[in-house]
Amino acid sequence: MNKRYNYIFFDLDNTLWDFKINSYEAMQVVFKYIDIREDVTFDTFFMSYSRHNHLLWDNYRKKGITKRELTRKRFQNTFEELGITGVDAEQMNKDYLREMPKQQKLLDGAIEILNYLKNKNYQLFIITNGFKEVQEKKLISSGIDGFFNKIYISEDVKSPKPSNEIFEYAIKSSNAKKTQSLMVGDDWETDVMGALKFGIDSAYLGKESNGNKAIQTAHNVHYISSLCDLMKIL
């Protein structure tokens, strides 16, 4: 697809900021300060937490639970599954959210592609699901906040991806044109399908990418295997 984009909207977690590694590292810090039975290893704890967190976030995106329920239940459900008692779920969540944005690991090529796009005068934005107090700190601590004209966080907009509302809000607020906009993300449902349903082309950073042919294009989706593959599109 030979097409000119001017407005590039990035997802944050696992697209630019390495959520998988950073969340693991943050949880290790918090885990050290709680009294856990010896037979419950950190990896066992983290796997259980990750599963519950994923399910609760899915429900939260569908507006089935509140933010407070999500942040409490992801730890409470983990404690119950593993038979852990005497640990306050809400306090552990506070400790975790305090440590999380301190982590600075970015995906390979993140700084390189942001510099490349900025030097070519693309207008750069973030559209992210998450909590305002955490997402903003992630951008600052990892040193990439200065690349973006505006940051759109689902908690602020009161509507998470993949809903039309957050994409519409971002397009209008940034004075962007849908036909000149590209959404870059790692989640097929929230980033790619959400953008496509609203009428924005997408670049999918995912497993469907063909390593031998970095860029594939079909149905207004660019499949990329690394962030630097965006240089072949933009």
Side-chain angles (χ1 to χ4, degrees):
M1 181 181 296
N2 186 8
K3 188 171 184 178
R4 173 64 182 175
Y5 300 105
N6 293 314
Y7 310 93
I8 314 301
F9 295 86
F10 281 94
D11 171 52
L12 180 58
D13 292 336
N14 286 327
T15 298
L16 294 171
W17 193 81
D18 197 326
F19 182 87
K20 291 179 182 177
I21 290 178
N22 290 331
S23 61
Y24 187 88
E25 297 291 335
M27 192 69 79
Q28 278 191 317
V29 173
V30 177
F31 188 79
K32 292 177 182 177
Y33 296 104
I34 59 176
D35 187 18
I36 299 291
R37 301 192 326 269
E38 290 185 5
D39 62 318
V40 179
T41 65
F42 171 74
D43 284 342
T44 297
F45 180 87
F46 189 74
M47 286 177 62
S48 175
Y49 164 82
S50 297
R51 183 172 62 256
H52 289 297
N53 186 53
H54 177 78
L55 292 171
L56 289 164
W57 261 103
D58 186 56
N59 199 8
Y60 176 73
R61 283 194 295 267
K62 296 173 181 175
K63 301 184 179 179
I65 57 173
T66 64
K67 173 184 177 180
R68 184 171 182 181
E69 287 176 310
L70 187 163
T71 54
R72 177 177 58 82
K73 286 185 176 181
R74 60 185 180 179
F75 284 102
Q76 190 60 52
N77 291 354
T78 302
F79 297 158
E80 290 175 0
E81 179 182 345
L82 300 177
I84 297 170
T85 59
V87 183
D88 185 271
E90 292 191 3
Q91 184 59 51
M92 188 162 186
N93 182 72
K94 290 178 182 177
D95 294 340
Y96 176 61
L97 292 184
R98 183 191 65 245
E99 292 298 327
M100 174 90 93
K102 294 179 183 179
Q103 312 306 312
Q104 302 175 349
K105 172 71 174 173
L106 297 172
L107 265 71
D108 291 342
I111 294 294
E112 185 177 356
I113 193 61
L114 291 175
N115 276 317
Y116 170 87
L117 295 173
K118 203 69 174 178
N119 289 337
K120 286 185 169 290
N121 296 316
Y122 284 96
Q123 302 297 301
L124 306 181
F125 307 89
I126 291 283
I127 303 180
T128 177
N129 286 346
F131 305 138
K132 178 180 174 65
E133 70 273 18
V134 178
Q135 300 302 77
E136 290 180 343
K137 289 178 182 177
K138 288 177 183 177
L139 289 162
I140 294 169
S141 68
S142 60
I144 61 174
D145 56 307
F147 285 102
F148 301 100
N149 297 41
K150 291 185 179 181
I151 312 298
Y152 302 104
I153 303 173
S154 61
E155 187 178 21
D156 275 343
V157 181
K158 303 292 191 291
S159 184
K161 295 178 293 183
S163 68
N164 276 354
E165 287 81 3
I166 191 167
F167 291 103
E168 182 175 17
Y169 184 91
I171 288 291
K172 288 182 177 179
S173 176
S174 60
N175 292 317
K177 294 182 179 179
K178 291 168 70 170
T179 56
Q180 297 175 9
S181 297
L182 182 71
M183 177 69 205
V184 182
D186 71 294
D187 191 288
W188 181 261
E189 180 184 354
T190 60
D191 298 320
V192 178
M193 293 308 298
L196 291 179
K197 288 177 181 177
F198 182 64
I200 303 174
D201 287 3
S202 299
Y204 177 50
L205 180 63
K207 294 179 181 178
E208 279 75 4
S209 305
N210 183 329
N212 296 321
K213 185 181 179 183
I215 304 297
Q216 302 177 26
T217 306
H219 306 299
N220 301 320
V221 180
H222 304 270
Y223 295 94
I224 60 175
S225 56
S226 72
L227 286 170
C228 287
D229 286 339
L230 286 171
M231 296 179 187
K232 302 174 184 179
I233 301 171
L234 303 169

